[in-house]
PDB file of all heavy atoms in Angstrom:
ATOM      1  N   PHE B 143      52.590  25.969   9.186  1.00 92.00           N
ATOM      2  CA  PHE B 143      53.197  27.292   9.165  1.00 92.00           C
ATOM      3  C   PHE B 143      54.138  27.523  10.331  1.00 92.00           C
ATOM      4  O   PHE B 143      54.912  28.518  10.357  1.00 92.00           O
ATOM      5  CB  PHE B 143      52.077  28.353   9.129  1.00 92.00           C
ATOM      6  CG  PHE B 143      51.464  28.452   7.750  1.00 92.00           C
ATOM      7  CD1 PHE B 143      50.332  27.678   7.438  1.00 92.00           C
ATOM      8  CD2 PHE B 143      52.007  29.247   6.802  1.00 92.00           C
ATOM      9  CE1 PHE B 143      49.775  27.778   6.141  1.00 92.00           C
ATOM     10  CE2 PHE B 143      51.448  29.340   5.481  1.00 92.00           C
ATOM     11  CZ  PHE B 143      50.368  28.577   5.216  1.00 92.00           C
ATOM     12  N   LEU B 144      54.078  26.635  11.338  1.00 91.00           N
ATOM     13  CA  LEU B 144      55.014  26.777  12.440  1.00 91.00           C
ATOM     14  C   LEU B 144      56.448  26.571  11.978  1.00 91.00           C
ATOM     15  O   LEU B 144      57.421  27.129  12.537  1.00 91.00           O
ATOM     16  CB  LEU B 144      54.661  25.784  13.537  1.00 91.00           C
ATOM     17  CG  LEU B 144      53.331  25.947  14.296  1.00 91.00           C
ATOM     18  CD1 LEU B 144      53.101  24.772  15.269  1.00 91.00           C
ATOM     19  CD2 LEU B 144      53.325  27.252  15.033  1.00 91.00           C
ATOM     20  N   ILE B 145      56.579  25.793  10.933  1.00 90.00           N
ATOM     21  CA  ILE B 145      57.941  25.542  10.342  1.00 90.00           C
ATOM     22  C   ILE B 145      58.578  26.859   9.898  1.00 90.00           C
ATOM     23  O   ILE B 145      59.793  27.034   9.971  1.00 90.00           O
ATOM     24  CB  ILE B 145      57.808  24.647   9.111  1.00 90.00           C
ATOM     25  CG1 ILE B 145      57.290  23.289   9.462  1.00 90.00           C
ATOM     26  CG2 ILE B 145      59.125  24.535   8.359  1.00 90.00           C
ATOM     27  CD1 ILE B 145      56.983  22.403   8.275  1.00 90.00           C
ATOM     28  N   LEU B 146      57.769  27.837   9.518  1.00 89.00           N
ATOM     29  CA  LEU B 146      58.321  29.053   8.913  1.00 89.00           C
ATOM     30  C   LEU B 146      58.738  30.080   9.971  1.00 89.00           C
ATOM     31  O   LEU B 146      59.403  31.071   9.645  1.00 89.00           O
ATOM     32  CB  LEU B 146      57.260  29.707   8.004  1.00 89.00           C
ATOM     33  CG  LEU B 146      56.695  28.801   6.899  1.00 89.00           C
ATOM     34  CD1 LEU B 146      55.683  29.528   6.083  1.00 89.00           C
ATOM     35  CD2 LEU B 146      57.797  28.231   6.008  1.00 89.00           C
ATOM     36  N   ILE B 147      58.281  29.914  11.226  1.00 87.00           N
ATOM     37  CA  ILE B 147      58.520  30.908  12.229  1.00 87.00           C
ATOM     38  C   ILE B 147      59.993  31.276  12.385  1.00 87.00           C
ATOM     39  O   ILE B 147      60.316  32.484  12.505  1.00 87.00           O
ATOM     40  CB  ILE B 147      57.909  30.455  13.628  1.00 87.00           C
ATOM     41  CG1 ILE B 147      56.411  30.607  13.457  1.00 87.00           C
ATOM     42  CG2 ILE B 147      58.426  31.358  14.709  1.00 87.00           C
ATOM     43  CD1 ILE B 147      55.603  30.083  14.675  1.00 87.00           C
ATOM     44  N   PRO B 148      60.951  30.331  12.369  1.00 86.00           N
ATOM     45  CA  PRO B 148      62.371  30.774  12.474  1.00 86.00           C
ATOM     46  C   PRO B 148      62.826  31.626  11.283  1.00 86.00           C
ATOM     47  O   PRO B 148      63.919  32.240  11.351  1.00 86.00           O
ATOM     48  CB  PRO B 148      63.116  29.434  12.511  1.00 86.00           C
ATOM     49  CG  PRO B 148      62.110  28.419  12.844  1.00 86.00           C
ATOM     50  CD  PRO B 148      60.826  28.876  12.294  1.00 86.00           C
ATOM     51  N   TYR B 149      62.127  31.627  10.148  1.00 85.00           N
ATOM     52  CA  TYR B 149      62.604  32.281   8.937  1.00 85.00           C
ATOM     53  C   TYR B 149      61.885  33.563   8.616  1.00 85.00           C
ATOM     54  O   TYR B 149      62.459  34.440   7.918  1.00 85.00           O
ATOM     55  CB  TYR B 149      62.500  31.320   7.797  1.00 85.00           C
ATOM     56  CG  TYR B 149      63.127  29.977   8.071  1.00 85.00           C
ATOM     57  CD1 TYR B 149      62.383  28.812   8.335  1.00 85.00           C
ATOM     58  CD2 TYR B 149      64.528  29.846   8.049  1.00 85.00           C
ATOM     59  CE1 TYR B 149      62.989  27.650   8.611  1.00 85.00           C
ATOM     60  CE2 TYR B 149      65.117  28.626   8.297  1.00 85.00           C
ATOM     61  CZ  TYR B 149      64.348  27.569   8.582  1.00 85.00           C
ATOM     62  OH  TYR B 149      64.972  26.366   8.836  1.00 85.00           O
ATOM     63  N   ALA B 150      60.655  33.767   9.090  1.00 83.00           N
ATOM     64  CA  ALA B 150      59.956  35.000   8.755  1.00 83.00           C
ATOM     65  C   ALA B 150      58.791  35.116   9.762  1.00 83.00           C
ATOM     66  O   ALA B 150      58.244  34.117  10.212  1.00 83.00           O
ATOM     67  CB  ALA B 150      59.402  34.990   7.335  1.00 83.00           C
ATOM     68  N   PRO B 151      58.371  36.350  10.072  1.00 80.00           N
ATOM     69  CA  PRO B 151      57.230  36.535  10.971  1.00 80.00           C
ATOM     70  C   PRO B 151      55.958  36.134  10.189  1.00 80.00           C
ATOM     71  O   PRO B 151      55.825  36.510   9.025  1.00 80.00           O
ATOM     72  CB  PRO B 151      57.200  38.008  11.299  1.00 80.00           C
ATOM     73  CG  PRO B 151      58.041  38.649  10.219  1.00 80.00           C
ATOM     74  CD  PRO B 151      58.974  37.658   9.701  1.00 80.00           C
ATOM     75  N   ILE B 152      55.027  35.390  10.839  1.00 82.00           N
ATOM     76  CA  ILE B 152      53.812  35.015  10.218  1.00 82.00           C
ATOM     77  C   ILE B 152      52.725  35.995  10.607  1.00 82.00           C
ATOM     78  O   ILE B 152      52.610  36.384  11.789  1.00 82.00           O
ATOM     79  CB  ILE B 152      53.400  33.556  10.710  1.00 82.00           C
ATOM     80  CG1 ILE B 152      54.535  32.586  10.457  1.00 82.00           C
ATOM     81  CG2 ILE B 152      52.115  33.106  10.043  1.00 82.00           C
ATOM     82  CD1 ILE B 152      54.956  32.412   9.023  1.00 82.00           C
ATOM     83  N   LYS B 153      51.942  36.384   9.621  1.00 81.00           N
ATOM     84  CA  LYS B 153      50.825  37.305   9.897  1.00 81.00           C
ATOM     85  C   LYS B 153      49.700  36.472  10.514  1.00 81.00           C
ATOM     86  O   LYS B 153      48.933  35.785   9.752  1.00 81.00           O
ATOM     87  CB  LYS B 153      50.331  37.981   8.625  1.00 81.00           C
ATOM     88  CG  LYS B 153      51.306  39.021   8.120  1.00 81.00           C
ATOM     89  CD  LYS B 153      50.745  39.747   6.902  1.00 81.00           C
ATOM     90  CE  LYS B 153      51.737  40.762   6.374  1.00 81.00           C
ATOM     91  NZ  LYS B 153      51.334  41.418   5.147  1.00 81.00           N
ATOM     92  N   LEU B 154      49.638  36.510  11.833  1.00 83.00           N
ATOM     93  CA  LEU B 154      48.695  35.655  12.500  1.00 83.00           C
ATOM     94  C   LEU B 154      47.265  35.900  12.156  1.00 83.00           C
ATOM     95  O   LEU B 154      46.437  35.033  11.962  1.00 83.00           O
ATOM     96  CB  LEU B 154      48.894  35.806  14.036  1.00 83.00           C
ATOM     97  CG  LEU B 154      48.375  34.696  14.926  1.00 83.00           C
ATOM     98  CD1 LEU B 154      49.012  33.382  14.557  1.00 83.00           C
ATOM     99  CD2 LEU B 154      48.606  35.056  16.385  1.00 83.00           C
ATOM    100  N   ALA B 155      46.921  37.211  12.008  1.00 80.00           N
ATOM    101  CA  ALA B 155      45.525  37.593  11.655  1.00 80.00           C
ATOM    102  C   ALA B 155      45.152  36.992  10.316  1.00 80.00           C
ATOM    103  O   ALA B 155      44.048  36.528  10.156  1.00 80.00           O
ATOM    104  CB  ALA B 155      45.406  39.093  11.616  1.00 80.00           C
TER     105      ALA B 155
END
Side-chain angles (χ1 to χ4, degrees):
Chain B
F143 284 92
L144 294 176
I145 294 171
L146 306 180
I147 289 176
Y149 306 104
I152 305 299
K153 288 184 180 174
L154 199 59

